[in-house]
Amino acid sequence: MLYINDDKFEKLKDETLVVNKIESKNNITGLASIDKPWMKWYPKEAYQDKIADKTMWQVLEHNAKDFLDYNALIYEGTIINYKKLLEEIEKVAISMKELGIKKGDHVIICMPNVPEFVYIFYALNKIGAIPNLIEPRTNAKRILDYIKISNSKYMFMVDLCYQNIQKIADESDLKKIISISPSESLPLAKKNVYNILHRKVKTHGRYIDYQDFLSLNVGKEKVSTSAFQKDATAVVVYTSGTSGVPKGVELRNETYNGQNLQIKYSGISPKKGEIFMGNVPFFSAYGSSSGMHNALSNGVAIYLIPSPKLDKFPKYVLKTESNHIMASPRHFEILNEYLKRHPRKDLSYVKNFVSGGDKIVEPHEIDMNETFSKVNAPKVKKGLGSTEHGGGFTTTSNDFNNKIGSVGIPLAQNIVKIVDINTKKELKYGEIGEIYVASITHANGYLNRQDLTDDAFFEEDGLVWFRTGDLGYIDEDGVVFFCDRISRAIMRPDGHTVSLLPIENAISKSKYVKSCAVVGIKPNLETAGELPMAFIVLKEGIDIKEAQTEIKSLCEEFIPERERPAWFRYVDELPYTLMEKVDYIKLSQLGKEIANLNTLVIDGRISLEKTKSKRLSLTNNKK
């Protein structure tokens, strides 16, 4: 095996991981963390480069000097160049200081992708305060949890959240809430229309209108930039993950700047003057780090989409003519179907389709790549990541490591290994276990939750390792394959463990199936263990009986007998979370309601006789 990096590597200090020279194929141990087979995909510089000792604001301010006249933000007809962007950030920083926000304060940002989000985010970083990013559609009680976890005294909110925030404001310690209309940066004509359709929030007491907030900076001197502090918490992103427990992930300046450094060598790096589609919410780590900060640090214009609609995704791709587009698998599936109906569309301006946040089932990946090639668009590049790393820690850097079903190779200064769930020993190539990652972009942990931090992170040989909770394996090329979340693997009543993603892949091979999701359901109240239940969305006009014949045949061909679904349920659509991931929790709840509780138990074994097929609606029929 030939490696691009064939000269001697020294141990790099600080945040740069150790890289060992691989002399020859005979030296390969079969352990990915030692062999680092992904090294061959990167140039030597990818391992020698270092994260700058700068804050995010310092990186933006420094880099922007090279492209002050370039477009930075495009928002419903308003174009903001980098010079204007820096000026607005300075104004906001001054007003923050006058309001009383100081270094180390946690400040809530509860806003969509509008220019003011960007100003506020970097202004807080400039003065050394810590943005706490919240999804605006989060329910009031959960927002209160986040405010209390962070001990936040200040909040910047989109005014559409006023009714929700008002419910919990008195229970919080918030001193000031700055109300911001999405119309602030709209062109005058669009602003007038918006203000006619949406009643302006009457600010009083602790509530301050954004324009009144900005007036605080009039006649005041610039705010000095807070100095960079190694490993200081710079951003908190809230997530409940699959556990439902609210967690504040403490990300560092090194998290965001480290993403920039590694993306530069990943094959998906944007270049000055290009356009990035700003549809992934900035309140997510993926959106604010791999998206917003990476784009703005490189002189790229962000086409802001404040309230993206899933079914409008193809329209955004065509209208914005963005060069770099990040989205979920579901978005790309919708684009795929649209392009099949409009095959003459040309997408040669797209340089990168990057899918993250959820899996792409293999048949869908093959199909969409064929469709995209017909319109001169690139193959979908995939990655695996986590909020705890500010976005992806693997990516498909080129067509050679963009293997079907994979999530690519580790970013250059990351190490990934596969660990046996029980023995905690590292496994060899092709063996399935839990994915561990050591990354220069690791989080500090979970805000005020040392117990959760200790469960997820540990130090070994000078590296900070993270237990991802994902099942997967690595091949000899260093390409990582995601199999499933450990939490989605179920144990049958006979003690056999079943991974659910392979079942979804098999069913999705059917020409009749639009989408599919599988969950584990108890066969009856007395029996321990679970059996797979498949929820299937058929394409329009498809007969269930005809489809079921092919689906059963595919399961028999690709799935071992005792891992096949015990139930098939046909639904109009699958439920999705706010982040456009399949809502497996909701499916599990529904599955418990509709499971066949009369499943036969013969000689201690569960009969896999399928119940009568029935089409169900997740929206109108709960039983």
Side-chain angles (χ1 to χ4, degrees):
M1 186 178 291
L2 297 177
Y3 286 80
I4 293 173
N5 313 286
D6 60 354
D7 50 2
K8 217 175 246 185
F9 289 101
E10 296 178 351
K11 185 174 180 179
L12 303 177
K13 297 178 181 179
D14 301 325
E15 291 296 326
T16 307
L17 300 178
V18 177
V19 178
N20 297 313
K21 178 183 176 184
I22 299 176
E23 296 285 352
S24 68
K25 194 170 183 176
N26 294 331
N27 283 353
I28 293 178
T29 66
L31 301 177
S33 69
I34 298 174
D35 298 343
K36 304 179 183 67
W38 52 83
M39 285 172 52
K40 67 179 180 179
W41 303 110
Y42 293 108
K44 175 175 63 178
E45 292 75 20
Y47 303 103
Q48 296 176 329
D49 209 346
K50 296 183 180 181
I51 303 175
D53 289 338
K54 296 178 183 292
T55 64
M56 289 176 285
W57 159 251
Q58 288 172 328
V59 167
L60 174 61
E61 183 184 36
H62 177 268
N63 291 1
K65 293 175 182 177
D66 293 334
F67 33 78
L68 288 175
D69 293 330
Y70 281 72
N71 294 338
L73 303 174
I74 303 171
Y75 179 59
E76 297 292 334
T78 296
I79 296 178
I80 300 156
N81 65 18
Y82 275 87
K83 181 180 179 182
K84 175 71 170 175
L85 173 65
L86 298 184
E87 290 172 352
E88 292 298 322
I89 293 170
E90 290 281 5
K91 291 177 184 177
V92 172
I94 296 170
S95 292
M96 286 177 174
K97 181 182 177 183
E98 294 301 315
L99 191 65
I101 299 174
K102 58 186 184 300
K103 181 176 180 177
D105 284 349
H106 284 256
V107 179
I108 300 291
I109 303 179
C110 187
M111 297 176 62
N113 292 9
V114 294
E116 288 69 31
F117 181 105
V118 181
Y119 307 154
I120 294 162
F121 181 92
Y122 283 104
L124 288 170
N125 188 251
K126 175 179 169 61
I127 66 177
I130 302 168
N132 285 239
L133 311 183
I134 292 181
E135 150 74 83
R137 293 172 294 182
T138 304
N139 67 62
K141 182 182 181 304
R142 181 53 57 86
I143 291 176
L144 181 61
D145 289 339
Y146 295 156
I147 294 170
K148 289 183 175 181
I149 288 171
S150 61
N151 192 30
S152 293
K153 301 295 191 296
Y154 300 91
M155 170 186 277
F156 291 84
M157 71 163 195
V158 63
D159 61 4
L160 300 175
C161 291
Y162 174 75
Q163 297 297 333
N164 213 18
I165 301 301
Q166 194 177 29
K167 296 176 184 176
I168 52 88
D170 288 341
E171 299 179 59
S172 74
D173 292 327
L174 290 173
K175 294 180 179 178
K176 295 295 180 183
I177 303 170
I178 296 85
S179 176
I180 305 166
S181 169
S183 69
E184 296 288 350
S185 294
L186 288 177
L188 183 59
K190 289 186 177 182
K191 180 180 292 193
N192 290 337
V193 172
Y194 181 90
N195 291 338
I196 290 172
L197 298 175
H198 299 83
R199 182 179 299 177
K200 191 175 181 66
V201 171
K202 293 182 179 180
T203 51
H204 56 88
R206 61 163 63 94
Y207 293 93
I208 303 175
D209 181 77
Y210 184 66
Q211 290 302 318
D212 292 334
F213 163 76
L214 286 181
S215 69
L216 297 175
N217 70 59
V218 177
K220 302 298 190 300
E221 294 183 357
K222 286 187 176 181
V223 177
S224 59
T225 297
S226 179
F228 169 81
Q229 287 183 279
K230 183 176 173 59
D231 291 331
T233 296
V235 181
V236 175
V237 178
Y238 289 90
T239 174
S240 58
T242 55
S243 66
V245 179
K247 296 179 290 188
V249 183
E250 297 184 89
L251 303 178
R252 306 169 298 143
N253 284 292
E254 294 95 327
T255 301
Y256 283 70
N257 294 332
Q259 282 285 338
N260 284 3
L261 182 150
Q262 297 192 104
I263 289 174
K264 179 168 67 174
Y265 299 103
S266 69
I268 60 174
S269 180
K271 293 179 174 56
K272 181 170 66 176
E274 293 179 338
I275 300 174
F276 173 83
M277 184 191 288
N279 59 301
V280 177
F282 295 160
F283 54 72
S284 69
Y286 185 40
S288 60
S289 177
S290 301
M292 179 187 75
H293 186 57
N294 183 252
L296 295 177
S297 299
N298 286 287
V300 175
I302 302 178
Y303 202 114
L304 295 170
I305 302 175
S307 182
K309 303 290 190 299
L310 185 64
D311 60 343
K312 300 293 185 184
F313 182 68
K315 176 183 176 182
Y316 303 146
V317 173
L318 299 174
K319 177 183 177 182
T320 67
E321 294 191 353
S322 297
N323 308 114
H324 304 275
I325 299 170
M326 298 194 318
S328 71
R330 193 173 178 220
H331 286 88
F332 289 116
E333 289 168 4
I334 287 174
L335 177 62
N336 180 32
E337 294 304 315
Y338 175 86
L339 292 174
K340 286 181 177 180
R341 299 192 301 270
H342 303 84
R344 295 183 181 178
K345 298 291 184 184
D346 179 65
L347 271 63
S348 58
Y349 52 82
V350 178
K351 294 189 175 182
N352 285 301
F353 280 141
V354 182
S355 177
D358 209 345
K359 67 185 183 302
I360 302 180
V361 294
E362 292 181 17
H364 290 180
E365 182 180 353
I366 294 169
D367 185 44
M368 66 176 62
N369 282 341
E370 289 178 354
T371 301
F372 295 164
S373 68
K374 294 176 182 178
V375 293
N376 303 312
K379 292 181 179 179
V380 175
K381 293 180 178 178
K382 300 97 59 184
L384 184 64
S386 67
T387 299
E388 288 82 356
H389 293 93
F393 51 78
T394 73
T395 189
T396 46
S397 63
N398 57 48
D399 285 348
F400 296 103
N401 55 49
N402 191 359
K403 298 182 181 181
I404 296 297
S406 77
V407 290
I409 57 175
L411 291 171
Q413 295 189 25
N414 291 351
I415 298 176
V416 172
K417 64 180 178 180
I418 308 300
V419 175
D420 184 277
I421 295 175
N422 298 313
T423 66
K424 305 304 180 186
K425 290 184 178 180
E426 183 171 0
L427 300 174
K428 295 195 172 184
Y429 301 124
E431 296 182 316
I432 297 175
E434 184 175 4
I435 300 172
Y436 282 27
V437 58
S439 172
I440 60 174
T441 66
H442 68 82
N444 281 335
Y446 302 106
L447 185 62
N448 297 326
R449 289 301 304 267
Q450 191 61 44
D451 55 334
L452 297 178
T453 300
D454 292 341
D455 284 343
F457 296 90
F458 67 95
E459 289 192 34
E460 185 177 270
D461 298 329
L463 301 176
V464 176
W465 287 92
F466 176 68
R467 305 177 180 93
T468 66
D470 294 328
L471 286 172
Y473 64 93
I474 300 176
D475 71 12
E476 291 187 357
D477 284 327
V479 178
V480 181
F481 290 79
F482 169 78
C483 294
D484 220 333
R485 289 288 297 171
I486 291 176
S487 60
R488 288 197 64 223
I490 65 171
M491 183 174 289
R492 283 172 43 92
D494 60 9
H496 178 67
T497 299
V498 179
S499 183
L500 304 180
L501 182 55
I503 302 174
E504 294 173 350
N505 280 331
I507 292 174
S508 296
K509 292 179 184 290
S510 170
K511 60 180 176 291
Y512 303 116
V513 173
K514 183 177 180 181
S515 56
C516 167
V518 181
V519 296
I521 301 296
K522 288 176 66 67
N524 58 52
L525 299 178
E526 288 75 33
T527 305
E530 298 176 316
L531 296 175
M533 176 181 286
F535 287 89
I536 301 168
V537 179
L538 297 177
K539 296 177 181 176
E540 276 189 45
I542 300 301
D543 179 72
I544 290 179
K545 290 183 179 179
E546 185 179 357
Q548 181 74 348
T549 299
E550 180 177 87
I551 290 169
K552 287 183 178 180
S553 176
L554 288 168
C555 287
E556 290 170 1
E557 181 179 357
F558 293 102
I559 306 299
E561 182 175 353
R562 61 177 177 169
E563 296 179 12
R564 296 171 194 161
W567 304 275
F568 296 89
R569 293 292 187 250
Y570 295 88
V571 295
D572 297 331
E573 59 183 15
L574 297 178
Y576 287 85
T577 66
L578 295 176
M579 292 299 292
E580 298 301 343
K581 298 182 182 182
V582 175
D583 193 336
Y584 290 105
I585 294 176
K586 185 172 182 179
L587 283 179
S588 295
Q589 292 169 343
L590 181 65
K592 292 175 184 177
E593 296 177 18
I594 65 176
N596 173 27
L597 298 182
N598 296 318
T599 301
L600 297 176
V601 180
I602 303 174
D603 298 329
R605 294 177 301 163
I606 300 297
S607 169
L608 294 185
E609 288 295 320
K610 312 301 185 295
T611 59
K612 184 170 63 176
S613 296
K614 179 181 179 183
R615 186 182 292 274
L616 302 167
S617 169
L618 293 185
T619 53
N620 301 319
N621 187 348
K622 296 298 182 184
K623 294 184 178 181

